[in-house]
Amino acid sequence: MNNYDKIATAIAYINDNFREQPDLAEMAASVHMSPFHFQRVFSEWAGVTPKKFLQYLTLHHAKSVLKQEKATVYDAAFETGLSGTGRLHDLFINIESMTPGEYKNGGKSLHINYSFAESPFGNMLVASTSKGICFMAFADNHEEALQQLMGAFPNAQFTQMVDLIQQNALYIFTREQHRLSEIKLHLKGSAFQLKVWEALLKIPMGQLTTYGQLAHAVESPGASRAVGTAVGQNPIAFLIPCHRVIKSTGELGHYHWGDNRKSAMIGWEAAKTDPQHGCRE
């Protein structure tokens, strides 16, 4: 379905060496491919050339995005509607918290469907209740991912089955807006965690924020560390875009599902939302 697995090593190389601005030949050599073949495979996945992708991962780019969004990223403009592909999350993802009973008893009353699916960033495990998506994680190891799901809901009943809720959630990767139904999330979390996760949903695709800015957004300006912990405990990969939170220095920082995957996601989203997207440099 995609070439992510083939170019993951190249992304790691780019991520580790972007300060040296490696050229096409150097990037291709890192994965033992010819420059021509590497450029074709990479461009098929990212939609832009490796050179353009490299630009999206530089400190200069990250800082420029943060500077642009510093005063507006949480403004009321977020709530005005779908002004572009980057505004998807604001409109169609709603959070419903689990009841205190569901929260405390490990999901004893829940029946959870789960399935494995492909995404542009590798295999995923997607799980849902009758009310919405309750878990979504990158599954480099299927068994480990499934154990994490079952550990989060130790008393729930599980069935391996694809359902409509899961299918709707996965449309986020194709951005086929005409096929999107309203996506609902059914989450287990504290009031503070839910508040942070709701704030993450307001970060448009292709944009970035910092832990400090996120702390201000949830009206806890002195709680950047607690906000960071809540971000790291996000149970819904990509749909709740914790990968869009970076350090105030412009460095991308760590990610629960892998630092190189975070870099890939940020670069991929920047490519998809760049007005010059599709330009083959």
Side-chain angles (χ1 to χ4, degrees):
M1 181 179 178
N2 61 74
N3 285 311
Y4 176 72
D5 289 338
K6 297 179 182 178
I7 62 174
T9 301
I11 291 171
Y13 176 82
I14 293 171
N15 197 36
D16 291 340
N17 296 279
F18 71 85
R19 290 178 178 84
E20 285 73 42
Q21 295 291 294
D23 59 23
L24 177 62
E26 291 171 319
M27 288 186 274
S30 72
V31 288
H32 310 291
M33 296 171 68
S34 71
F36 174 81
H37 184 54
F38 174 69
Q39 173 128 329
R40 181 179 64 79
V41 171
F42 195 100
S43 298
E44 285 176 355
W45 174 79
V48 293
T49 63
K51 177 183 176 182
K52 188 70 174 178
F53 188 88
L54 173 63
Q55 293 174 2
Y56 293 136
L57 296 187
T58 65
L59 284 172
H60 175 75
H61 171 74
K63 288 179 178 179
S64 67
V65 172
L66 289 175
K67 184 177 181 180
Q68 292 169 6
E69 292 297 318
K70 186 174 182 179
T72 63
V73 72
Y74 293 110
D75 284 355
F78 262 148
E79 314 300 334
T80 60
L82 188 61
S83 59
T85 56
R87 306 289 181 176
L88 283 173
H89 286 83
D90 297 326
L91 296 185
F92 68 74
I93 295 182
N94 291 317
I95 290 180
E96 178 173 341
S97 60
M98 294 189 179
T99 66
E102 291 168 336
Y103 187 103
K104 292 178 181 179
N105 65 21
K108 185 176 181 180
S109 60
L110 295 177
H111 189 104
I112 296 175
N113 295 331
Y114 71 91
S115 63
F116 293 95
E118 292 184 324
S119 83
F121 309 101
N123 290 331
M124 301 196 81
L125 171 62
V126 188
S128 56
T129 70
S130 60
K131 295 182 180 180
I133 298 293
C134 63
F135 187 87
M136 190 165 169
F138 290 103
D140 298 321
N141 182 301
H142 284 198
E143 186 61 31
E144 288 182 5
L146 184 57
Q147 289 303 314
Q148 289 175 4
L149 167 63
M150 293 182 171
F153 302 97
N155 299 317
Q157 299 178 51
F158 295 92
T159 302
Q160 185 169 2
M161 183 180 76
V162 178
D163 60 29
L164 185 60
I165 291 174
Q166 297 167 19
Q167 291 177 328
N168 285 339
L170 292 169
Y171 284 142
I172 183 67
F173 293 111
T174 60
R175 297 185 297 144
E176 296 180 62
Q177 297 177 37
H178 64 286
R179 301 180 66 181
L180 279 167
S181 300
E182 181 180 87
I183 295 177
K184 291 185 178 180
L185 306 179
H186 191 200
L187 300 183
K188 178 178 70 172
S190 67
F192 183 75
Q193 287 174 322
L194 292 169
K195 192 173 184 179
V196 172
W197 298 340
E198 287 174 347
L200 288 172
L201 291 172
K202 296 181 180 181
I203 307 172
M205 181 180 286
Q207 298 299 329
L208 304 170
T209 193
T210 68
Y211 295 99
Q213 290 172 355
L214 194 61
H216 278 279
V218 297
E219 300 177 343
S220 301
S224 293
R225 182 168 295 182
V227 165
T229 299
V231 169
Q233 293 169 336
N234 167 31
I236 310 292
F238 197 85
L239 280 175
I240 297 181
C242 56
H243 59 279
R244 296 176 191 160
V245 185
I246 67 174
K247 296 180 179 180
S248 59
T249 59
E251 296 174 295
L252 302 188
H254 296 300
Y255 183 55
H256 177 69
W257 290 286
D259 297 354
N260 290 325
R261 182 173 274 125
K262 178 176 183 176
S263 299
M265 293 163 75
I266 289 174
W268 186 83
E269 289 187 337
K272 301 302 180 186
T273 55
D274 191 320
Q276 297 181 348
H277 172 58
C279 177
R280 302 287 175 176
E281 294 186 0

